[in-house]
Amino acid sequence: MRSFFYRPFIFFLFWILYFNLSAFSLVQEDTVRYEETSGVSENISLNKKEHSGEGMSNPFLSDLTRVQEALTLSNLNKSLSLLQALLLKVRQVHAANIDGFFPSDTENFFVVQQKQVDQGVMYSDGYGIIFSKQYQTQDGRFLDVNVVFNDPSIQEYISIIQEKSAVADIEGVRVIKIQDRYMCLESVSDEHQFIERNIVLNPDVLVNVVYDWRDDDFLLNEFVSQFQLVALEQYLLN
């Protein structure tokens, strides 16, 4: 009875992965095409070979083949194990791709760690933090970057940003524009210890930045200007 129940589910999951991953190279190719044709290409420095898969085959096809072979033999335990390994691989590749849209070490900030995001909620319910990275300054201050995808909170930020008159009455909160393109809700803690920026790329994607602030907007603005937000938005929309 258990085999009868699990087998259709595993086949269903397999085909979802197959159709989505088979489009992997096409998705990456579209991202590069956007870079080449957009008017803001100077702000996007994607490595074409890295992001388009040029000169290399889809990295997931061999994994899918092994899953299919295990399913054909009705080896459900092995199928589940292979699927779990494949999901982990997809997450790692996805995180590596997103990491490419943010700076590595700079003059003022160096990478502390790319945090391990708990993917359980996001991948089961389809929303949440999909990427997190932490930087540190030479004097020990931290800056955290989080990419949020398809989360209900994004619409809340959009609603607040649209009510600019109401925001103007709140001390330490203001609406600003990032890279002359994206609206952002900025808030400063009461004691000016932290500054938080929630940059809305679209109704599905938000970039959250939290900085151990010391009233030095210049460093923060210069660092955020290096985010490849247009390319990140296009990548996550594909």
Side-chain angles (χ1 to χ4, degrees):
M1 193 67 177
R2 290 173 61 88
S3 296
F4 178 79
F5 175 78
Y6 281 109
R7 186 172 182 179
F9 171 76
I10 295 174
F11 271 105
F12 175 71
L13 181 58
F14 167 75
W15 284 114
I16 290 177
L17 282 168
Y18 178 80
F19 284 115
N20 280 278
L21 297 178
S22 294
F24 180 81
S25 296
L26 293 177
V27 167
Q28 303 285 13
E29 181 181 344
D30 289 341
T31 303
V32 174
R33 186 181 299 115
Y34 174 85
E35 173 192 344
E36 294 174 339
T37 58
S38 70
V40 291
S41 59
E42 65 274 15
N43 295 324
I44 304 172
S45 57
L46 292 179
N47 182 310
K48 293 183 182 180
K49 286 188 177 180
E50 176 183 352
H51 289 274
S52 70
E54 180 182 340
M56 61 182 294
S57 60
N58 186 310
F60 307 111
L61 291 182
S62 61
D63 301 275
L64 286 170
T65 299
R66 287 193 291 269
V67 173
Q68 186 176 26
E69 290 172 349
L71 287 171
T72 301
L73 297 173
S74 298
N75 191 334
L76 303 188
N77 283 332
K78 184 176 181 180
S79 299
L80 285 171
S81 177
L82 291 170
L83 281 171
Q84 290 172 351
L86 177 56
L87 285 172
L88 177 60
K89 183 176 180 179
V90 171
R91 293 170 186 172
Q92 291 173 338
V93 171
H94 190 40
N97 287 344
I98 295 176
D99 183 63
F101 300 115
F102 295 97
S104 299
D105 294 346
T106 67
E107 181 179 354
N108 298 302
F109 293 90
F110 60 92
V111 177
V112 176
Q113 61 177 330
Q114 179 181 320
K115 297 182 179 179
Q116 294 296 319
V117 177
D118 181 5
Q119 306 284 12
V121 175
M122 187 271 165
Y123 281 93
S124 60
D125 297 336
Y127 64 85
I129 297 175
I130 60 173
F131 178 82
S132 185
K133 189 173 185 177
Q134 187 175 72
Y135 300 85
Q136 188 175 9
T137 63
Q138 295 293 339
D139 57 355
R141 287 175 287 165
F142 289 94
L143 183 147
D144 290 285
V145 176
N146 303 291
V147 177
V148 183
F149 181 76
N150 196 25
D151 190 277
S153 64
I154 299 177
Q155 188 57 53
E156 296 177 9
Y157 283 112
I158 293 175
S159 299
I160 295 173
I161 289 172
Q162 291 174 342
E163 294 293 334
K164 290 186 178 181
S165 58
V167 172
D169 297 330
I170 305 176
E171 184 177 357
V173 178
R174 62 173 181 161
V175 175
I176 61 175
K177 185 172 284 189
I178 301 295
Q179 298 182 3
D180 295 321
R181 185 183 182 101
Y182 298 108
M183 301 308 296
C184 168
L185 185 67
E186 178 186 273
S187 58
V188 179
S189 63
D190 293 339
E191 299 179 355
H192 283 219
Q193 293 180 332
F194 297 95
I195 183 170
E196 180 176 5
R197 289 182 176 179
N198 288 285
I199 309 166
V200 178
L201 305 192
N202 58 57
D204 295 318
V205 182
L206 178 144
V207 176
N208 167 265
V209 180
V210 181
Y211 180 38
D212 182 6
W213 192 49
R214 305 275 175 82
D215 293 320
D216 52 354
D217 275 351
F218 176 79
L219 286 182
L220 178 60
N221 292 336
E222 192 274 336
F223 186 68
V224 171
S225 70
Q226 299 180 54
F227 293 0
Q228 298 179 33
L229 297 178
V230 174
L232 173 64
E233 179 184 13
Q234 290 301 310
Y235 171 75
L236 292 176
L237 284 176
N238 285 320

